[in-house]
Amino acid sequence: MASSVPLKSLTPELLTQLKERSEKFIFEIISTNWKCKFCQTADELSIFRHAVESLPEDEQGFVRNFRELVPLTVYDTYQPFVARFFATPCQESEIIDLFAPGFPAFIAVSSATSGKAPKAFAKYRGTTWRAAGPQIQSVYTYHLSYREVLNVFRGDQGTMRRIIVTPASGGLLRMQMGWNPEQDKDRMSYKVPGETAPLAVAMVTHHPSFLLLHALFALADRSVETLKILFSTTLLDMFMYIERDWCILVDAIDNGAIPDLEYIEHVRGHLERHLHANPVRATELRAIGPPSNTTGWAKCVWPNLKMAFSIGSGPFSSALPKLKNILGHDVIIQTPGYGSSECVIGATYQPGDLNRFKVLLDDAFIEYLNVDVEEVSNKLCTAWETEPGRLYELVLTTCNGLWRYRLGDVVELLGFAPDDGSPVVRFVERRNAVIKFDTTVVTEAQLVQSLSSEIQDTIGQVMEFTCFKDTRDLPSTVGFFVELAQEPGTSPHLAKQRLLDVLSGVNENIRRAYDAGAFGMPTIRIVKPGTFTQYRKWKGEAAVIGTCQVKVPVVMSDSTAQEWIMNRVELEI
């Protein structure tokens, strides 16, 4: 059912409702968290806490002082406090009531998009996020593995509790389902109703084996109706592995034997209980052939397939053309929502629109920083003060203890939901994901726009890409590293000039800089097939996080990752 067109302005009634609902929510957050250790000791919050110490806990006074006295914060503000969880030994007295009351249920680690060390965030049981479990037969990929377990001590009395460190999606799912790590071995043979694979697959950390096992159980099940794979690039990875190992997978279904995959011996026995010889299904699959055999292949393999839930906006949009070709026109690609390691931000607003979200008041109170104004707290807008068409950076105050935290995501305000006045937004870019030159900067959004269909007509269909500053010659320029769906196109010699023209069209300073000799002709290097699949595996293993959580950054800033990518170049245009 389609959502209504967003309103361009709030009616007086909706404005009042939105303001009352928002101020009640932020009061609940700050009145709960202000007595915790972070707020009571962080230098950034000293003026605020002194102002409210003598106040009765009334909504009006707290909210007014919050808006006037709490500054913008970044992750560096929280890192020394987060480090207490990783101290050896970790003492209960140091971490109780640290960001929010009590102890966190788990520590969420970010996907390290920028290439730096993953950020860590304490997640408390009070979070309102709930994952909707599949109600119909679904291929549902998620990781339940964790990076480490933190032992918390009370003086010299021994371990009093354990806290896992894990990607947010797996930790939240564990919280929702009540799954404790101590029970993992007993649970691995269990298959959640409506899911194709047993839970043992969620404990596999090796990326190719993880996706191949999901592919195996999915191919064996003709009744699949939904694919739930977090990123569209990961869904495409799975189809590529199916293509590569088609015969192995079909033979395994025919014989009912788990194939010899790497790093699965700890779960093999649990997997074998759920795979049974099915020669009839194997014969059907052999007649269809691998994904490259036919347009709409997925619908042939799973006749009941209706929808794929995968994030396909921003840098993930590059996978969509090939995905749509594999899925077929009858299968709808739908984003599962808008979230981050820090919090849940929004729900899908328009079915079929992969980049339109209704901002929620569930996990965080969200304020908006106009990208064209000074980056200070007194320039923040509340939801009811925003203007459609403008770009804003999201600033979060969360139930889990972040205070006016700069997320770095830039969104465009599209309007307001007619039912309750909530902002409706689309993701534009990461604010700090830029390549800087002396006379201009190139943003993530501009880089994504530059690889338009006009460019792909010259070099071929781009599956995934990343960029960083190319300083091999003077003047420096933007270097693109692209993975193609097939062989290069028929006019690669035109690609660089077209790329410069498109970049100049979205950023007029680029043309001025080029004409002035301050910006070079963009470079295009084609990497080997499967490079970005291997990148996710490499980064996931290095950070000890779920590989499916790893994103390929549009702007790659980490020098080690840059060298890794350069070593996989097979052709320069």
Side-chain angles (χ1 to χ4, degrees):
M1 184 174 179
S3 302
S4 302
V5 176
L7 301 174
K8 293 303 180 184
S9 61
L10 289 165
T11 64
E13 294 79 12
L14 285 175
L15 189 152
T16 299
Q17 291 175 26
L18 178 60
K19 184 176 181 181
E20 289 179 351
R21 190 169 69 249
S22 299
E23 291 190 341
K24 179 181 179 182
F25 185 55
I26 185 57
F27 172 67
E28 290 174 354
I29 292 175
I30 60 181
S31 63
T32 298
N33 292 344
W34 84 277
K35 291 184 179 179
C36 292
K37 289 184 174 70
F38 174 77
C39 184
Q40 288 298 306
T41 56
D43 292 341
E44 290 81 355
L45 299 181
S46 61
I47 299 175
F48 168 77
R49 67 173 173 264
H50 291 318
V52 299
E53 276 174 353
S54 59
L55 287 179
E57 291 193 6
D58 70 288
E59 180 177 317
Q60 186 176 6
F62 262 65
V63 172
R64 183 183 67 253
N65 280 284
F66 169 81
R67 295 199 65 182
E68 293 176 358
L69 302 176
V70 174
L72 298 174
T73 66
V74 295
Y75 184 72
D76 288 348
T77 307
Y78 302 89
Q79 198 280 328
F81 293 84
V82 173
R84 298 185 190 184
F85 291 108
F86 298 92
T88 305
C90 174
Q91 289 292 344
E92 186 179 65
S93 60
E94 287 293 311
I95 65 167
I96 188 171
D97 303 334
L98 186 54
F99 294 106
F103 296 96
F106 67 97
I107 305 296
V109 287
S110 72
S111 57
T113 305
S114 65
K116 300 175 183 177
K119 298 173 183 176
F121 302 94
K123 294 289 184 177
Y124 294 80
R125 294 193 180 276
T127 182
T128 56
W129 184 90
R130 295 291 181 269
Q135 301 301 312
I136 54 180
Q137 198 65 4
S138 302
V139 179
Y140 187 16
T141 65
Y142 49 84
H143 281 283
L144 292 177
S145 55
Y146 41 86
R147 193 177 78 171
E148 61 181 299
V149 177
L150 306 176
N151 293 308
V152 181
F153 297 88
R154 181 182 298 165
D156 57 1
Q157 296 180 35
T159 302
M160 302 304 296
R161 65 181 66 245
R162 291 180 173 86
I163 302 174
I164 63 168
V165 181
T166 181
S169 56
L172 290 168
L173 186 60
R174 280 183 178 275
M175 232 163 59
Q176 179 207 6
M177 302 298 289
W179 290 338
N180 296 317
E182 292 80 7
Q183 301 167 330
D184 282 349
K185 288 185 179 179
D186 299 329
R187 193 181 295 115
M188 282 199 286
S189 293
Y190 177 65
K191 183 187 283 190
V192 176
E195 295 183 16
T196 54
L199 285 178
V201 178
M203 302 303 295
V204 174
T205 58
H206 187 61
H207 186 56
S209 298
F210 174 80
L211 290 181
L212 281 167
L213 287 171
H214 271 295
L216 174 64
F217 286 100
L219 290 170
D221 191 337
R222 196 177 190 274
S223 66
V224 168
E225 296 184 45
T226 303
L227 305 175
K228 299 182 68 174
I229 299 176
L230 187 57
F231 300 125
S232 58
T233 48
T234 307
L235 177 56
L236 186 57
D237 281 354
M238 187 176 79
F239 288 139
M240 292 175 65
Y241 280 120
I242 290 174
E243 178 78 28
R244 189 193 73 179
D245 292 350
W246 175 253
C247 293
I248 293 172
L249 294 170
V250 175
D251 287 349
I253 293 168
D254 194 352
N255 301 322
I258 300 295
D260 291 328
L261 303 176
E262 294 183 291
Y263 305 107
I264 68 166
E265 290 310 310
H266 64 299
V267 297
R268 178 177 290 277
H270 302 283
L271 300 172
E272 289 173 342
R273 301 178 190 181
H274 294 279
L275 186 68
H276 308 290
N278 192 340
V280 174
R281 177 62 173 165
T283 299
E284 181 182 20
L285 291 171
R286 290 190 180 105
I288 297 169
S292 61
N293 271 27
T294 180
T295 299
W297 171 88
K299 192 71 174 177
C300 299
V301 171
W302 302 296
N304 298 327
L305 184 64
K306 298 178 179 65
M307 187 166 290
F309 285 95
S310 283
I311 296 172
S313 57
F316 305 107
S317 61
S318 61
L320 293 179
K322 191 166 183 67
L323 269 184
K324 290 177 179 178
N325 184 68
I326 295 171
L327 292 171
H329 66 275
D330 290 336
V331 179
I332 298 169
I333 302 176
Q334 181 64 65
T335 182
Y338 181 10
S340 65
S341 297
E342 290 86 347
C343 73
V344 175
I345 296 164
T348 301
Y349 186 71
Q350 188 77 37
D353 190 327
L354 299 180
N355 196 10
R356 186 172 295 207
F357 307 97
K358 177 179 177 179
V359 177
L360 301 174
L361 277 178
D362 278 355
D363 230 9
F365 174 77
I366 298 178
E367 295 173 281
Y368 301 79
L369 181 62
N370 190 319
V371 299
D372 295 323
V373 304
E374 187 180 2
E375 298 174 23
V376 291
S377 60
N378 62 10
K379 297 295 185 180
L380 288 170
C381 298
T382 59
W384 58 91
E385 294 169 332
T386 53
E387 299 177 35
R390 292 195 179 275
L391 301 183
Y392 298 94
E393 179 185 352
L394 300 181
V395 176
L396 317 174
T397 300
T398 70
C399 298
N400 289 299
L402 299 179
W403 294 73
R404 283 191 160 174
Y405 174 87
R406 295 186 65 171
L407 182 63
D409 281 10
V410 174
V411 301
E412 178 187 0
L413 188 83
L414 302 177
F416 305 93
D419 60 339
D420 63 2
S422 296
V424 177
V425 303
R426 73 174 184 91
F427 175 81
V428 176
E429 63 187 352
R430 291 285 297 168
R431 183 160 194 171
N432 295 320
V434 299
I435 301 178
K436 296 183 179 181
F437 298 89
D438 290 344
T439 57
T440 188
V441 298
V442 186
T443 70
E444 175 179 301
Q446 292 163 359
L447 293 166
V448 172
Q449 284 179 266
S450 68
L451 282 181
S452 61
S453 58
E454 185 175 317
I455 302 300
Q456 298 193 34
D457 287 343
T458 63
I459 60 172
Q461 184 183 327
V462 176
M463 288 173 54
E464 290 190 75
F465 76 99
T466 190
C467 306
F468 48 87
K469 195 171 185 176
D470 188 343
T471 58
R472 293 176 297 169
D473 293 316
L474 292 175
S476 58
T477 186
V478 176
F480 286 78
F481 295 79
V482 303
E483 182 175 338
L484 301 178
Q486 53 267 326
E487 293 297 314
T490 56
S491 307
H493 60 286
L494 301 176
K496 291 166 66 174
Q497 184 62 50
R498 292 256 187 101
L499 193 53
L500 176 63
D501 293 341
V502 175
L503 275 171
S504 300
V506 297
N507 184 336
E508 61 186 25
N509 287 332
I510 288 178
R511 174 60 67 179
R512 292 195 188 100
Y514 180 79
D515 292 342
F519 184 90
M521 180 68 72
T523 60
I524 304 172
R525 283 171 272 187
I526 298 172
V527 298
K528 298 174 184 177
T531 288
F532 291 110
T533 297
Q534 289 298 312
Y535 173 87
R536 283 186 281 276
K537 173 178 176 289
W538 172 63
K539 291 295 286 185
E541 290 176 351
V544 201
I545 61 174
T547 303
C548 287
Q549 302 290 320
V550 176
K551 309 168 192 174
V552 177
V554 172
V555 177
M556 187 171 283
S557 58
D558 177 58
S559 59
T560 303
Q562 290 177 358
E563 183 178 358
W564 190 96
I565 288 290
M566 287 190 288
N567 286 335
R568 283 153 181 80
V569 172
E570 64 176 7
L571 174 68
E572 180 160 1
I573 300 297

